[in-house]
Amino acid sequence: MNQDDGSVGALSHVRVLDLSDEKGVYAAKLLADLGADTIKVEPPGGDLTRQFGPFVDDVPDPARSLFFFHYNTNKRGITLDVERAEGRRLLLELVRRADILIESFPPGFLAGLDLAYADLARINPGLVMASITPFGQHGPHAHYKGSDLVAWAMSGYMAIMGYEDLSLPPLTVPFLQCCHTAGYYAATTALAAVLYRATTGRGQHIDVSMQEAMATMSETPNVFYSMDEVVLTRQWGYNGDPSGLRVFRSKDGYVDMGLGPFRRDIWPRWMTWMDADGQLGDLGDERWLDREWGMAHCDQMYGQVEAWTTTRTGYDLFNEAQTRRLEVAPVNDIPAVLADPQLNARGYFVQVPHPELDRTVTYAGAPYDLHGTPWSIRRRAPLLGEHNREIYLGELGLTEQALQEHREHGVI
């Protein structure tokens, strides 16, 4: 990574305005990391996500938020109060030059400022605008308060996450997975709309619901119920079938295994391995290939397998399983992920300088390679208002005096 290295990304011809909070910031990051010239528009006091921890050296400070760092790489940053008349005028000038606008205000907020999509499209008919909200722009819950947790709970996903002991509450997932999922949909549909614009000249408004985004990701439970009236419940450690994946303790943590009992193509290979380790017990019995019998004795099988896995480390099992073409994975904690030989061989992690902190921060990279226009982090997340002069003076043509007056009046 080189700060502002001028490298050309796949979307270097696209300009994005990011007016979103945590609900949309990932969508804008996806586009920025692909090369789009993305401008993060923050209120003069700073985006609320600058208050989100963790912080560098665990010192709470809007300029040290690792949350803000992560989600705003490759963006330029300006301050602007869009609720003031002059702020609205400046935003319209930015919209005139933009291809995509991403926002996550409550439905109707922008319309109340005469900044609804119809208002923006009048000055830029090719604008693509993606709005990300918990429940979407219309419907009985559209104006309800919501969050990542609310979307997770009401998507149907939370009901099937957790322990088999139904006296315990269901579980959520860490971090902002609903925002991430909605961000993927917002970014991909925005790019589809840009492609459509190339043939029609017309932009469009994209309404992304976080609840719907997660309901879409829950795969088959909806179909399972609508077709067979089967309500999928929580099934910790496997996905409704003991021939699927299950997590076992290992000598140094946990391993995930695809055991495949009842399958004559897989189960004998597991038995050969356990026999070689002196841990076969009665699992070599032909009855384990009978599904009905095996289902009735799953707990016995799990106990015998775990008595074996706890004698070996996760990576020991992982490496030997590969020689036997079997599926095992150590459950990596974060230090193990950072040391992972595969991720490091592919150059997944990148070092990004933060000169104002006299530090270099390790960032997650991209899960893909674009050979013609390689992915890169060209710049760290912007400081508050870091590019005000560059954009307001250099691109919108404001004078030094006007810039100063806007500062004094709290517009920027």
Side-chain angles (χ1 to χ4, degrees):
M1 175 270 174
N2 295 313
Q3 193 86 1
D4 295 322
D5 65 1
S7 59
V8 176
L11 298 180
S12 59
H13 60 295
V14 174
R15 172 168 284 193
V16 178
L17 296 179
D18 175 12
L19 279 77
S20 68
D21 59 11
E22 72 276 12
K23 294 185 284 297
V25 69
Y26 189 54
K29 172 182 166 62
L30 290 171
L31 301 175
D33 287 354
L34 281 166
D37 177 15
T38 303
I39 300 173
K40 176 73 176 174
V41 182
E42 303 180 63
D47 192 280
L48 181 61
T49 60
R50 288 185 180 273
Q51 308 296 328
F52 291 6
F55 299 93
V56 176
D57 297 329
D58 204 22
V59 177
D61 186 308
R64 303 168 75 92
S65 166
L66 290 168
F67 181 98
F68 190 87
F69 286 5
H70 172 74
Y71 286 107
N72 292 286
T73 52
N74 287 326
K75 300 177 186 178
R76 295 190 288 168
I78 61 172
T79 51
L80 182 64
D81 185 348
V82 301
E83 298 187 58
R84 294 174 179 265
E86 189 58 22
R88 176 180 175 276
R89 190 190 72 76
L90 291 171
L91 178 63
L92 293 176
E93 288 303 311
L94 292 167
V95 167
R96 197 184 304 277
R97 295 162 170 79
D99 298 289
I100 298 171
L101 186 151
I102 296 173
E103 63 92 11
S104 55
F105 296 109
F109 175 82
L110 288 177
L113 300 173
D114 295 328
L115 293 171
Y117 179 72
D119 300 312
L120 304 181
R122 273 194 288 276
I123 64 167
N124 181 357
L127 180 71
V128 172
M129 176 169 154
S131 299
I132 304 172
T133 54
F135 299 105
Q137 298 291 307
H138 58 84
H141 297 165
H143 296 278
Y144 281 23
K145 288 285 289 183
S147 64
D148 196 90
L149 183 63
V150 168
W152 178 252
M154 296 187 70
S155 69
Y157 225 136
M158 184 184 285
I160 57 175
M161 285 288 292
Y163 297 97
E164 291 164 294
D165 182 354
L166 298 183
S167 68
L168 299 172
L171 298 176
T172 186
V173 288
F175 310 115
L176 303 175
Q177 301 306 325
C178 297
C179 296
H180 290 171
T181 306
Y184 288 126
Y185 282 113
T188 53
T189 52
L191 291 178
V194 168
L195 287 173
Y196 179 75
R197 185 188 65 180
T199 60
T200 66
R202 297 194 302 273
Q204 55 188 300
H205 184 208
I206 301 165
D207 173 9
V208 179
S209 156
M210 292 164 56
Q211 181 190 23
E212 291 175 358
M214 286 316 301
T216 301
M217 297 300 289
S218 64
E219 293 186 4
T220 56
N222 296 342
V223 178
F224 207 11
Y225 176 72
S226 61
M227 294 297 293
D228 298 335
E229 295 188 351
V230 173
V231 179
L232 190 64
T233 58
R234 286 177 267 156
Q235 297 166 76
W236 177 78
Y238 59 94
N239 296 317
D241 188 331
S243 65
L245 303 177
R246 192 171 181 95
V247 177
F248 297 94
R249 288 182 300 152
S250 66
K251 192 174 183 178
D252 59 349
Y254 291 92
V255 290
D256 182 272
M257 287 184 161
L259 284 174
F262 326 132
R263 289 184 54 175
R264 292 183 180 276
D265 59 331
I266 296 177
W267 185 246
R269 279 184 273 152
W270 282 108
M271 297 307 97
T272 300
W273 186 5
M274 292 181 68
D275 191 25
D277 282 3
Q279 299 284 342
L280 181 60
D282 69 356
L283 295 182
D285 194 308
E286 283 286 319
R287 288 179 296 180
W288 288 106
L289 296 175
D290 178 89
R291 182 179 184 81
E292 186 175 351
W293 189 91
M295 287 289 288
H297 298 80
C298 277
D299 288 343
Q300 176 190 341
M301 175 182 67
Y302 298 149
Q304 287 189 232
V305 171
E306 191 158 87
W308 168 54
T309 57
T310 51
T311 66
R312 305 181 68 158
T313 67
Y315 266 96
D316 181 23
L317 290 163
F318 169 68
N319 289 324
E320 183 162 349
Q322 289 302 314
T323 69
R324 299 173 183 272
R325 306 309 296 164
L326 292 170
E327 185 180 317
V328 175
V331 179
N332 285 338
D333 58 13
I334 297 304
V337 170
L338 285 165
D340 185 275
Q342 176 68 12
L343 294 175
N344 283 286
R346 285 175 58 84
Y348 173 70
F349 297 106
V350 292
Q351 302 297 316
V352 179
H354 284 250
E356 69 285 351
L357 298 173
D358 193 26
R359 301 279 283 272
T360 296
V361 178
T362 301
Y363 281 73
Y368 54 80
D369 278 336
L370 277 174
H371 292 174
T373 52
W375 178 96
S376 68
I377 294 183
R378 304 176 303 283
R379 66 173 88 224
R380 51 131 175 80
L383 305 177
L384 183 61
E386 182 175 354
H387 300 96
N388 279 351
R389 294 179 59 81
E390 180 177 307
I391 292 173
Y392 289 127
L393 299 183
E395 298 183 16
L396 300 192
L398 266 63
T399 63
E400 288 278 5
Q401 180 180 355
L403 189 68
Q404 182 59 31
E405 289 175 355
H406 287 326
R407 284 200 187 102
E408 291 172 358
H409 292 114
V411 175
I412 63 174

